[in-house]
Amino acid sequence: MTTITVFKGDGIGPEITDAVLTILDAAHSGITYEIFNVGAAEYEKNGALIPEAAFTSFEKNKVLLKSPITTPIGKGFRSLNVTLRNKYDLYANIRPAKANAAVSTPFPNVDIVTFRENTEDLYVGIEKQIDENTVHAIKIITRKASERIIRDAFEYALSHDRHKVTCVHKANILKLSDGMFLSIFKKMAALYPQIESDDKIVDNVCMQLVMHPESFDVMVMPNLYGDIVSDLTSGLIGGLGLLPSSNLGTGYAMFEAVHGSAPDIAGKHIANPTALLWSSCMLLEHIGKNNIAAHIRMAVDEVLSEKQYITPDLGGNASTEQYRDAVIEHLK
């Protein structure tokens, strides 16, 4: 048995977490859980966004499955996602967007993996009030962080039979920061001659993604662009409810759905747990349980194909629990 840490989060977090853990148990995943409530609701109850025991559990188990956490906009506490990424140096955010034949979109051939640097850029959160009418925000790009995320993107392409890596940047304007990122990319690309490489300005990438998404394979970019572009790729495949992600460092790994906590539908039992479920499949692969991950992916594909038990975001009227039970039935 492998023990992992689970953060239930808030909003729809507890609902989709319960559904995913039930499916993992039905798949005989061989995983046991140390489960903690985290986020805004936990803060209101106990005065801590993340209990110390939750940190201790993650530091012991090294693997975390995290459901969405509400982040205040424009005020309040800093994003707990950013806090966790920085605290445990989870520098590589990997977000695969793959079209599913069961989900109708105008883009049937999308198969894109976004590598997002996870620890710096504007997400360091350094802002300075210059005067009452002026605020400066500091963008930080370092050689160390750039080299390791770019190297990981090429290594992923090599090990997953991918043919191209695209660097996304704004070096035409940010000549020093993005200019260094691009320069490092070009030097790294020379070490992987078997992998095709190119670079594109971020705004052009956004246009090309909705015109010719099939021309992209693996993309690597600084933090902010990765956040925006990966949401765009989710739209190509049917929405954030279908986009999983992993956050990897040298010692720790966190797996989470990309979407938010959706407080407007919390408690209505209509949330789609697929993104978190596919994130748990990435977790299973991380700990060497590839066959179980493949079994779950196949069951999900079958449920989506049948369209009988799909949630409202995908055009159905099934509850979270009905979707969960349909996946479990296909696992049998």
Side-chain angles (χ1 to χ4, degrees):
M1 300 293 284
T2 301
T3 302
I4 68 168
T5 303
V6 177
F7 287 1
K8 271 197 170 183
D10 41 33
I12 61 171
E15 297 168 53
I16 62 173
T17 302
D18 288 345
V20 166
L21 298 187
T22 302
I23 292 169
L24 288 176
D25 288 342
H28 305 292
S29 66
I31 295 176
T32 59
Y33 320 107
E34 294 176 354
I35 302 173
F36 299 89
N37 295 317
V38 304
E42 175 65 15
Y43 181 79
E44 291 173 7
K45 286 182 181 179
N46 300 311
L49 296 168
I50 302 178
E52 276 304 316
F55 285 122
T56 301
S57 173
F58 184 28
E59 288 163 10
K60 171 173 64 75
N61 297 325
K62 312 294 186 187
V63 178
L64 169 64
L65 180 64
K66 186 189 76 63
S67 70
I69 297 172
T70 302
T71 300
I73 298 175
K75 60 180 181 179
F77 60 84
R78 195 177 177 209
S79 165
L80 290 187
N81 289 347
V82 174
T83 299
L84 288 165
R85 291 165 188 163
N86 289 338
K87 181 177 178 66
Y88 297 104
D89 196 26
L90 303 171
Y91 69 86
N93 189 192
I94 305 168
R95 298 182 171 185
K98 184 176 176 60
N100 188 299
V103 181
S104 179
T105 75
F107 309 101
N109 299 315
V110 173
D111 187 2
I112 302 168
V113 181
T114 300
F115 272 71
R116 169 191 176 189
E117 201 292 316
N118 228 6
T119 63
E120 52 182 31
D121 200 350
L122 287 170
Y123 287 70
V124 296
I126 300 174
E127 296 182 292
K128 185 177 181 181
Q129 187 89 40
I130 304 303
D131 57 45
E132 62 178 347
N133 299 311
T134 309
V135 175
H136 288 183
I138 308 300
K139 173 187 174 89
I140 294 178
I141 301 291
T142 67
R143 183 170 300 278
K144 175 186 175 182
S146 301
E147 284 180 345
R148 63 185 183 178
I149 190 66
I150 293 168
R151 183 182 297 109
D152 280 8
F154 277 102
E155 286 293 328
Y156 180 94
L158 203 60
S159 62
H160 288 75
D161 197 27
R162 296 278 180 160
H163 69 275
K164 184 171 73 170
V165 179
T166 299
C167 176
V168 180
H169 62 88
K170 192 67 178 173
N172 57 325
I173 302 299
L174 298 165
K175 297 182 185 298
L176 295 180
S177 54
D178 282 22
M180 182 173 71
F181 191 90
L182 177 57
S183 173
I184 292 169
F185 175 84
K186 289 181 176 180
K187 290 179 180 177
M188 193 73 69
L191 303 177
Y192 296 87
Q194 65 275 60
I195 304 294
E196 182 185 348
S197 63
D198 66 355
D199 69 274
K200 286 182 170 61
I201 296 170
V202 62
D203 38 318
N204 180 38
V205 165
C206 293
M207 179 185 71
Q208 296 293 335
L209 277 169
V210 297
M211 293 179 66
H212 306 289
E214 70 282 352
S215 67
F216 292 91
D217 191 359
V218 176
M219 301 188 294
V220 62
M221 61 203 76
N223 206 337
L224 178 62
Y225 311 145
D227 197 1
I228 296 168
V229 168
S230 63
D231 270 26
L232 195 161
T233 65
S234 81
L236 301 177
I237 63 170
L240 286 171
L242 299 172
L243 191 73
S245 79
S246 62
N247 300 264
L248 306 180
T250 54
Y252 299 93
M254 177 174 75
F255 301 84
E256 61 176 345
V258 172
H259 59 72
S261 59
D264 56 319
I265 62 169
K268 295 182 178 179
H269 299 276
I270 59 172
N272 181 359
T274 304
L276 187 63
L277 182 56
W278 278 343
S279 298
S280 74
C281 289
M282 296 177 76
L283 184 157
L284 287 166
E285 290 162 349
H286 177 75
I287 61 176
K289 297 177 180 285
N290 297 52
N291 290 339
I292 297 171
H295 192 38
I296 293 173
R297 290 183 196 276
M298 186 179 299
V300 172
D301 285 345
E302 289 169 351
V303 172
L304 294 178
S305 296
E306 290 174 354
K307 299 185 185 299
Q308 184 177 0
Y309 296 108
I310 55 175
T311 47
D313 61 310
L314 298 179
N317 55 17
S319 69
T320 305
E321 291 74 21
Q322 287 174 317
Y323 173 89
R324 174 202 67 197
D325 292 345
V327 172
I328 291 171
E329 188 61 32
H330 279 280
L331 285 173
K332 294 178 183 176

